[in-house]
Amino acid sequence: MNPQLRITLNNKLYLRDPQETELGRRLLTESIRLIDELGLEHFTFRKLAQRMESTEASLYRYFENKHRLLGYLVSWYWAWVRYQIRYHTHNVPDAAQRLRLMLSILTRAHHDDPATSDLDEAALYRIVVHEASKAYLTREVDQDNQAGLFREYKRLAADMAAVVQELKPCYPFPHALVSTLLEAARKQLFFAQHLPSLTDSAADTDRYAFLEGLAFGLCRHTKPPLGPADFFPGNP
């Protein structure tokens, strides 16, 4: 991890903060490479220790299991995206332009940032695309949520929802819209790479155009939400 970009994450994600030691930082860097190479199912701490020429025991001092490590990496990624968004939008007064910048950053987030030489953001984003859902699609999701393990993703969503509300105060579904945009930004890339018949967005510009059309098309919605009687007018 880039030592100049220190991101503070929920301490329940780890046993010892890996950003505090050289071994911990190597653990993060090499785990990104290895998970990207093997996938989470085939990744083990034993394989990581062999890659690092270290011991499994030393790695388990930082994370109790690979699921917690995945949660840490995904959380770090969303915090980094939030940092990028806040940096590029803090002097932009127009809400519509801020939202467009946010969507642009989301659709280019899979490119490596040369400013962070110790971290391969492109590899990390491939992990986010392929593995991030596994961080919360578990039977323990409610307990993990209570523990704040999804804090960074929720903070990013809240920032974006606030812009939607500023842009269109009467729009009734800002959080649903933002969570859809965040999921679509990575899912459409996954579909383009692996299941192309499920998307029309093969390039970054296509994904941006899709997200922009979705966001601003829905933001123009001004009618009150429909109720059951609107769908079933014959019912009392």
Side-chain angles (χ1 to χ4, degrees), residues 1 18 21-33 48-49 51-54 59:
M1 294 289 178
T21 68
E22 181 180 354
L23 177 63
R25 291 189 291 272
R26 284 184 58 224
L27 185 161
L28 296 175
T29 299
E30 294 300 331
S31 66
I32 289 171
R33 293 172 179 165
L48 179 59
R51 173 75 63 93
M52 295 175 60
E53 298 183 345
S54 183
L59 304 185

Side-chain angles (χ1 to χ4, degrees), residues 95-139:
Q97 182 61 18
R98 291 205 305 278
L99 184 57
R100 289 189 173 94
L101 283 169
M102 289 176 171
L103 298 179
S104 177
I105 290 169
L106 286 176
T107 51
R108 287 191 54 80
H110 61 283
H111 294 280
D112 190 31
D113 184 352
T116 55
S117 58
D118 295 333
L119 175 64
D120 185 347
E121 287 89 2
L124 180 55
Y125 188 61
R126 287 192 293 270
I127 293 172
V128 170
V129 168
H130 289 84
E131 316 286 2
S133 297
K134 298 171 187 175
Y136 60 83
L137 292 180
T138 68
R139 298 184 68 88

Side-chain angles (χ1 to χ4, degrees), residues 3-234:
Q4 296 181 347
L5 180 58
R6 178 60 184 263
I7 291 175
T8 302
L9 300 178
N10 188 327
N11 60 15
K12 294 182 180 180
L13 285 166
Y14 52 83
L15 301 174
R16 180 180 183 182
D17 189 349
Q19 295 184 80
E20 291 182 345
T21 68
E22 181 180 354
L23 177 63
R25 291 189 291 272
R26 284 184 58 224
L27 185 161
L28 296 175
T29 299
E30 294 300 331
S31 66
I32 289 171
R33 293 172 179 165
L34 195 57
I35 295 174
D36 181 43
E37 177 185 326
L38 301 178
L40 186 67
E41 287 80 6
H42 298 287
F43 169 87
T44 66
F45 276 15
R46 175 177 294 182
K47 293 176 183 177
L48 179 59
Q50 291 173 347
R51 173 75 63 93
M52 295 175 60
E53 298 183 345
S54 183
T55 65
E56 285 184 76
S58 65
L59 304 185
Y60 277 113
R61 294 192 186 105
Y62 292 90
F63 296 97
E64 61 182 284
N65 54 50
K66 68 180 181 180
H67 187 262
R68 278 289 191 268
L69 172 59
L70 174 65
Y72 186 98
L73 295 176
V74 171
S75 292
W76 195 97
Y77 177 80
W78 291 123
W80 177 76
V81 170
R82 184 171 181 246
Y83 167 81
Q84 295 291 320
I85 285 175
R86 290 166 73 89
Y87 178 82
H88 288 288
T89 63
H90 76 285
N91 283 330
V92 180
D94 181 66
Q97 182 61 18
R98 291 205 305 278
L99 184 57
R100 289 189 173 94
L101 283 169
M102 289 176 171
L103 298 179
S104 177
I105 290 169
L106 286 176
T107 51
R108 287 191 54 80
H110 61 283
H111 294 280
D112 190 31
D113 184 352
T116 55
S117 58
D118 295 333
L119 175 64
D120 185 347
E121 287 89 2
L124 180 55
Y125 188 61
R126 287 192 293 270
I127 293 172
V128 170
V129 168
H130 289 84
E131 316 286 2
S133 297
K134 298 171 187 175
Y136 60 83
L137 292 180
T138 68
R139 298 184 68 88
E140 296 77 30
V141 60
D142 294 326
Q143 299 95 301
D144 290 347
N145 186 43
Q146 287 293 324
L149 303 192
F150 313 119
R151 183 184 69 187
E152 306 311 325
Y153 191 46
K154 292 163 70 174
R155 282 178 171 177
L156 174 59
D159 287 352
M160 295 182 66
V163 176
V164 172
Q165 290 174 308
E166 181 182 348
L167 180 64
K168 200 71 174 180
C170 61
Y171 182 65
F173 310 114
H175 295 88
L177 172 58
V178 163
S179 61
T180 299
L181 293 170
L182 287 169
E183 291 296 299
R186 60 188 181 90
K187 291 290 181 61
Q188 290 300 310
L189 178 59
F190 179 88
F191 291 154
Q193 293 174 341
H194 303 288
L195 301 169
S197 65
L198 297 181
T199 185
D200 309 290
S201 305
D204 290 350
T205 53
D206 296 331
R207 283 186 289 278
Y208 172 82
F210 170 71
L211 295 180
E212 184 188 41
L214 181 63
F216 286 89
L218 291 177
C219 280
R220 286 194 290 270
H221 174 86
T222 56
K223 295 181 181 179
L226 299 177
D230 297 294
F231 293 101
F232 307 103

